[in-house]
């Protein structure tokens, strides 16, 4: 198993824990983004931190996007006074459509042997629609600029 | 009763994001509401009927989580 395969496995395991915390049955792209921000020592993690996006900042941006999208339909997440549900007994096992797309897109950017963690992040940042681009936009993050920084990091690694 | 002003966005991207968020919200509410009902001694058939789904569906979706959470479940 290559270093990159081990990284993907780690990201999926951590993404599954993030999905479980969210009460989500499947791992989605935003869970992968949280996972990337949680695993230190990679090119992808360096780019995120340089942009001020540690795990807490990403979580806050995602929560804001959720509240904002609910508010667009006149709904407040805080309006329901139920105690939060207990989490499921096991981390999520399935990948959702957004996570699959992120991997597909990321893997297109490099030859199989040259894939790096930054390619996974690049795949997530390619999405124009969905939770991640909306959360980043609401947080004032320039997604194209962030993707350019990821590409630069990859170029520096291979130089 | 006065009309409630609901700020529904006209933008497709906003409308679609609202649908996605409402689905997530509904899932979270279902988890919380079913757990609250079962902790209060409701049975699976009662919860299923209240949700408008089959007993099998609600059991399959929630039983493992509630057992892991230590909720005492009524069989009937």
């Amino acid at each position: 198993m290559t270093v990159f395969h081990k990284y993907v496995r780690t990201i999926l395991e951590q993404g599954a824990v993030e999905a479980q915390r969210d009460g989500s049955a499947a791992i989605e792209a935003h869970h992968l983004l949280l996972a990337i921000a949680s695993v230190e020592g990679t090119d992808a993690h360096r780019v995120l931190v340089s942009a001020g996006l540690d795990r807490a900042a990403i979580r806050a941006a995602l929560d804001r996007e959720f509240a904002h999208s609910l508010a667009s339909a006149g709904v407040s997440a805080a309006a329901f006074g139920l105690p939060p549900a207990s989490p499921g007994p096991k981390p999520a096992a399935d990948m959702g459509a957004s996570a699959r797309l992120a991997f597909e897109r990321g893997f297109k950017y490099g030859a199989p042997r040259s894939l790096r963690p930054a390619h996974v992040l690049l795949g997530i940042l390619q999405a124009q629609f969905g939770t991640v681009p909306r959360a980043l936009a609401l947080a004032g993050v320039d997604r194209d600029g962030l993707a350019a920084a990821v590409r630069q990091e990859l170029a520096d690694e291979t130089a | 009763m006065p009309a409630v002003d609901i700020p529904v966005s006209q933008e497709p991207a906003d409308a679609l994001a609202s649908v996605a968020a409402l689905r997530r919200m509904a899932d979270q509410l279902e988890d919380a509401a079913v757990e609250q009902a079962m902790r209060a001694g409701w049975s699976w058939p009662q919860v299923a009927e209240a949700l408008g789904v089959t007993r099998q569906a609600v059991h399959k979706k929630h039983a493992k989580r509630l057992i892991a959470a230590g909720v005492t479940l009524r069989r009937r």
Side-chain angles (χ1 to χ4, degrees):
Chain A
M1 187 179 279
T2 66
V3 173
F4 180 71
H5 283 117
K6 281 183 188 163
Y7 176 73
V8 169
R9 196 169 69 176
T10 302
I11 289 298
L12 282 173
E13 286 169 358
Q14 186 61 34
V17 172
E18 296 288 358
Q20 184 185 25
R21 283 179 188 156
D22 251 1
S24 171
I27 306 163
E28 298 292 351
H30 59 280
H31 300 128
L32 297 179
L33 185 61
L34 288 165
I36 289 170
S38 303
V39 179
E40 296 182 8
T42 70
D43 47 8
H45 184 266
R46 274 196 297 279
V47 174
L48 286 178
V49 170
S50 298
L53 292 168
D54 61 9
R55 190 197 168 278
I58 293 169
R59 183 69 262 173
L62 290 169
D63 290 345
R64 193 168 166 211
E65 190 281 331
F66 187 49
H68 185 269
S69 293
L70 288 175
S72 294
V75 173
S76 161
F80 300 89
L82 289 173
S86 302
K90 283 191 281 189
D94 297 328
M95 254 202 289
S98 62
R100 286 180 193 281
L101 262 178
F103 278 119
E104 280 173 26
R105 286 171 173 151
F107 291 173
K108 277 185 192 163
Y109 282 92
R113 283 167 191 268
S114 67
L115 286 171
R116 310 269 311 149
H119 288 108
V120 182
L121 177 56
L122 201 53
I124 293 170
L125 295 175
Q126 295 307 303
Q128 292 183 51
F129 305 105
T131 302
V132 170
R134 287 177 64 83
L136 293 178
L138 279 169
V141 175
D142 170 14
R143 186 167 51 84
D144 291 336
L146 191 59
V150 178
R151 287 198 183 90
Q152 186 60 51
E153 179 79 21
L154 283 163
D156 291 347
E157 284 170 14
T158 53
Chain B
M1 198 170 100
V4 178
D5 182 22
I6 298 174
V8 176
S9 170
Q10 299 297 309
E11 287 292 324
D14 289 339
L16 292 167
S18 291
V19 173
L22 286 167
R23 284 201 179 117
R24 282 176 55 202
M25 180 86 216
D27 282 343
Q28 290 175 6
L29 273 180
E30 181 179 326
D31 286 355
V34 169
E35 182 166 341
Q36 187 187 46
M38 296 306 279
R39 284 187 190 278
W42 284 45
S43 66
W44 289 117
Q46 289 172 327
V47 170
E49 192 169 356
L51 284 174
V53 299
T54 65
R55 186 182 65 79
Q56 288 84 356
V58 77
H59 186 273
K60 185 178 176 186
K61 192 168 177 185
H62 298 284
K64 282 183 186 167
R65 180 175 61 85
L66 297 183
I67 289 166
V71 180
T72 306
L73 304 176
R74 276 179 57 191
R75 291 191 64 80
R76 297 209 158 268

